[in-house]
Amino acid sequence: MPVPIPRQRAIPAAESGQAQAASPRGGSAEESVKDASPAGRTPDTAGNTTDKVENNTAHTNLTLLLIEDDPAGSPIVPDMLDQAGKPIRVRTARNLTEAGRLLTDDVHCILLDLALPAPGHADSEDELAVLRHVLELAPRHAVLALTASGDAERGAEAVRVGAQDYLFRDELDGRLLSRAIRYAVERKRSESAERRLAEGRLRAQENRRLERGLLPTPLLEGSPLRFAARYRPGRSRALLGGDFYDVVRTPDGTVHAMIGDVCGHGPDEAALGVELRIAWRALTLAGLCGDQLLGTLQQVLEHERADDEIFATLCTVDIAPDGRRAGLCLAGHPSPLLARPGKPARLLPYDNNGPALGMLPGARWPRMQVELGAEWSLMLYTDGLIEGRIGQGRERLGQDGMTEMIRRQLAEGLRGEQLLRAAVNEVRRLNGGELTDDVAVLLLDRVP
């Protein structure tokens, strides 16, 4: 936490090095640039002193807006220089109405007299009503509270309400006020940065909770099949992309698995993927399967997509209750990989691959019957797993490269979650870094 500026006695001009020159205060509002150069410094043609103090943050003159009611017209603000040796400009306003007109983007700090009455609060018991009004009027500006000497309690309360610091009216001198302005401006910048960071973290936490809630929970109660999944979105700092998957077991003992990919990688595509997954689960539990299910999903896609060019690929598998056979439907999606003991892993047939959802109105998706056997592993994946590059060239891993990689990893004894983790990590390593596309992989194993 920044340390408040210590209160100190008024420093005469000879000690502070600041010339005390009164500024004219004619009219209701004015701006004055104090041209007070300390002894031994020569102003250059731009009005700046030649022996400037280095300050990486001071590239322009600081501007102070003084809000105080001074009927006698005696100035209370001495001449000041910022840390770079430039004169600090001062604008004066006699009331909050004038202050609102002078409060432009080039104002860096506000010096507010707490004795000034707030509009509509003349009889208010709130001694800081004027400060609260200014904080509402200028939420992005640094504010210094000006109070009477010895009224430290009121000044401290002003800081608690939202001012960056407080000063005593009869102790102002150029050096003290210049330092207080710089401190208030930097503290306000720091507070604003911390607030934006906290807001960003809160939004990120909320997004993570939302995205975790949207990821599926497989419904496999009563099934002997083992399930594993791996998900890696291509969007930076996201948990959910355009890829989606789900697994459910219907009352007749059939296990239905699905994996899909909406074209694109943004939040709209992720939302559409979630809608398709939820619709697939509802339709599957309602008894739809194969071509009828995919046709209905295409209708959902056509109604929910933001653009007619958006499409989605899909792979669905329905595994018979005995676990030895499966029906396979492909809608423009890569074919699953089947691994069995004593046989090399291979891709399931994809000759009857239908079009992606949303591409052709009235399309059909034939259902192929596949023999699985007594013991097997079935891996469904999105194209993010096979479209990564190999090294620095333009060659991609492809389905053949992925098949060889999985064969080798199975031979090394990798199974389940460990296999999927190793596969995704190796694809990233071959690509030379993070993959730009979403990756979703799920694995179903049947072990007698």
Side-chain angles (χ1 to χ4, degrees), residues 253-268:
T254 302
V255 172
H256 303 261
M258 172 271 290
I259 196 164
D261 183 1
V262 177
C263 66
H265 313 291
D268 291 338

Side-chain angles (χ1 to χ4, degrees), residues 110-114 131 143-147 155 158 163 165-168:
I110 297 171
L111 181 59
L112 172 67
D113 187 353
L114 295 180
L131 173 61
V143 177
L144 289 171
L146 190 62
T147 187
D165 203 352
Y166 69 93
L167 300 168
F168 294 136

